[in-house]
Amino acid sequence: MEQYEPDRLSPAQVAAMRRSFRNGRAALTRRSLLRASAGGALAVGGLGALTACGIPAAGRTEGGTSAEDRSATEKTVNFSNWTEYIDVDDSGKSHPTLDQFRRRTGIAVKYTEDINDNNEFFGKIKPQLAAGQATGRDLIVLTDWLAARLIRLGWVQKLDPSHLPHAYSNLSAQFRDPDWDPGRAYSYVWQGISTVIAFNRKALDGVEVKSVSDLLDKPELKGRVGFLSEMRDSIGMTLLDMGKDPRKFTDDDYDAAVARIQKAVDKGQIRRFTGNDYTSDLTKGDIAACVAWGGDIVQLQADSPDVDYIIPDSGYMTSTDNLLIPNKARHKTNAERLIDFYYEPEPAAELAAYVNYVSPVDGVRPYLTKIDKGAADNPLILPDKAMAAKSHAFRALSAEEETAYEAKFAKLTGA
């Protein structure tokens, strides 16, 4: 039997990554056209070659490894982020909030949009981190499940609360205590991502959709339902519909959710599993209702009056993209000051107005109202307390669980 390596990708995980490049949250979004480009395809190939080499797993530690912090003498911070995931000016060449930070602090931000996919980026930085070397980056943005992996491996640094007064005070309650980083010792949220049920009112033609059960069972919707190709979103929404808590589910619960969706696949209820390429089918009415990402719906509603969404009574899934400081970063204090800057309500509002994801910053509403009242009033960008209370996160998985669950989900979706 092949020896299990906890940070080496299984075939199912590689398949999940390739789904993400083709049509997942990594493909063709407002922030990520690059991810589906030829460069992205090359990156996948590069990752396959890298993982095939079997780079040894790093030993787990109680925390990250610091380097000499040169923040006092080197007024810079190297920030790696996803494409199209920050505010830009009308010229498309400048980031106003980063310019504000530089003018206020004297710290120049070297901003690089070199994160095209979580797993691809993990492959990029893994050799240095595994060898105990610097990545050349002071701040990175990763989705919660990969952030959890890096924390588990001891590859990111513990944050200094004294440098984060705004972040500590203004982080929204729904994001404060993830099971993979209790108390936010290692990470802070960049933006949140809501998973809801979207529908085309005209295509429904009077059929009522209020739950995942309606998507899976109503014969009037046969062949016109979409589910997401991201495992945590589709399984998480199904677990909620079954009365299960996505933060506490068992293997049996997971298998029951897979079986529930498989039954709908077998009877032709589900048209296909998609990334955000469902948006075209939804606006045309080929898909009448689907599991969808809130950021997409915000953008679709601007041009498609028939598109709307509901939050099921059972709740909805929320994930996060998170700011972390990797081991051996040379400018840790500068990076922490940048994190804290984005937890001031005014720059947080400027960011939210551009990216249209969930702002994690309390107190942002009056500032966002001045920029874009429609955005400020949209619960997909600023959830009210009632909506936030219905938010659920998918629990952290062990390496073994991640491999097993992705394999089962890949079989379900035909990936």
Side-chain angles (χ1 to χ4, degrees), residues 4-7 13 60 152 397-404:
Y4 178 74
E5 296 182 47
D7 64 336
Q13 288 169 310
R60 301 189 183 194
R152 185 173 70 237
L397 301 179
S398 68
E400 293 86 353
E401 285 176 326
E402 190 170 9
T403 299

Side-chain angles (χ1 to χ4, degrees), residues 191-246:
Q191 297 288 281
I193 303 137
S194 297
T195 303
V196 299
I197 293 177
F199 59 86
N200 183 309
R201 190 176 291 101
K202 186 176 180 179
L204 284 180
D205 193 24
V207 176
E208 193 172 55
V209 172
K210 291 186 174 181
S211 67
V212 169
S213 288
D214 289 340
L215 298 182
L216 294 173
D217 296 332
K218 285 202 168 183
E220 303 96 321
L221 299 178
K222 183 175 181 179
R224 299 192 297 142
V225 168
F227 266 63
L228 291 170
S229 58
E230 297 291 341
M231 179 266 286
R232 288 165 176 80
D233 295 308
S234 287
I235 296 294
M237 291 291 282
T238 305
L239 286 168
L240 286 171
D241 189 72
M242 296 166 60
K244 303 296 182 179
D245 185 346

Side-chain angles (χ1 to χ4, degrees), residues 364-409:
V364 76
R365 186 178 302 276
Y367 297 93
L368 185 55
T369 298
K370 293 178 182 178
I371 302 170
D372 184 343
K373 188 177 186 304
D377 292 339
N378 193 326
L380 292 177
I381 298 175
L382 294 184
D384 57 24
K385 288 185 179 180
M387 181 168 170
K390 299 176 77 172
S391 166
H392 299 266
F394 202 91
R395 71 171 172 83
L397 301 179
S398 68
E400 293 86 353
E401 285 176 326
E402 190 170 9
T403 299
Y405 290 172
E406 282 286 7
K408 291 175 181 178
F409 190 71

Side-chain angles (χ1 to χ4, degrees), residues 86-135:
I86 197 170
D87 54 304
V88 297
D89 64 8
D90 292 340
S91 73
K93 298 178 180 178
S94 179
H95 306 294
T97 53
L98 293 181
D99 292 341
Q100 291 174 37
F101 178 76
R102 175 183 52 77
R103 288 194 298 269
R104 183 194 299 183
T105 65
I107 298 169
V109 180
K110 182 181 178 183
Y111 184 75
T112 308
E113 295 181 333
D114 63 342
I115 304 179
N116 302 312
D117 174 88
N118 283 290
N119 276 318
E120 181 267 338
F121 188 71
F122 179 66
K124 187 183 297 185
I125 62 175
K126 177 180 174 181
Q128 293 101 323
L129 292 173
Q133 299 170 352
T135 65

